[in-house]
Amino acid sequence: MFIGASPGSTGGGIKTSTLFVIGNVMKSIMTHQHCVSFKRRISEGIIMQAFVVAILSLCVVIISTFLLCIVEPRFTFMQLLFESTSAFGTVGLSTGITSHLSVLGKIIIILTMYIGRIGAMTIVTLGVYKEPKTAVYSAEDIMIG
């Protein structure tokens, strides 16, 4: 459930292409070769982005599960981990405890679903990334004197 749909689809979780890039990096590390797929080199920027997405996504599931463990102590860790992972992947599977969660627990699940669908990288870059200014005003000579 953590690994969601393919790029361009409406599924949540990390995309299959992200897992593909991470797998290729692992293979290239073990074989001491460049990261290549389908006779094309995978750039370092894409590799870094794949790892950042995977780590951020894992952090979202861990934090969500941790918060649910605090808010909902009557449920087992595995039930809450399953609910959190399912919410992040927007899968729709449940152990049957979702309706029995408190209001705060449901809000945590809702936020996890939202982050899983939009993407952890997108959420983080909303407040951090600034488009570089590429517009340059033209110069004009002014008569002085």
Side-chain angles (χ1 to χ4, degrees):
M1 292 185 295
F2 182 73
I3 302 157
S6 293
S9 69
T10 58
I14 66 170
K15 303 299 181 204
T16 53
S17 57
T18 304
L19 181 69
F20 179 78
V21 169
I22 292 172
N24 273 347
V25 170
M26 298 298 181
K27 182 181 119 188
S28 70
I29 289 171
M30 288 187 283
T31 59
H32 301 288
Q33 296 178 352
H34 293 286
C35 189
V36 176
S37 178
F38 302 109
K39 298 182 181 179
R40 305 266 190 222
R41 187 178 59 81
I42 300 174
S43 70
E44 289 183 21
I46 296 297
I47 292 170
M48 293 298 287
Q49 189 176 6
F51 276 98
V52 167
V53 165
I55 290 168
L56 285 175
S57 300
L58 191 60
C59 287
V60 167
V61 171
I62 290 170
I63 291 169
S64 172
T65 305
F66 177 72
L67 292 174
L68 284 173
C69 285
I70 292 171
V71 173
E72 306 291 343
R74 61 183 179 204
F75 299 113
T76 66
F77 173 76
M78 289 305 290
Q79 286 176 312
L80 296 174
L81 177 63
F82 188 91
E83 293 292 322
S84 181
T85 307
S86 176
F88 181 76
T90 60
V91 176
L93 294 176
S94 176
T95 57
I97 65 168
T98 309
S99 60
H100 303 293
L101 295 176
S102 66
V103 174
L104 191 54
K106 289 178 183 177
I107 289 172
I108 293 168
I109 291 291
I110 290 168
L111 290 174
T112 306
M113 290 173 75
Y114 183 74
I115 293 171
R117 175 57 198 103
I118 300 298
M121 183 79 149
T122 304
I123 300 288
V124 168
T125 58
L126 283 176
V128 176
Y129 181 75
K130 301 241 190 260
E131 187 71 33
K133 294 181 180 180
T134 56
V136 178
Y137 295 109
S138 60
E140 182 67 35
D141 292 333
I142 300 174
M143 292 187 63
I144 305 290

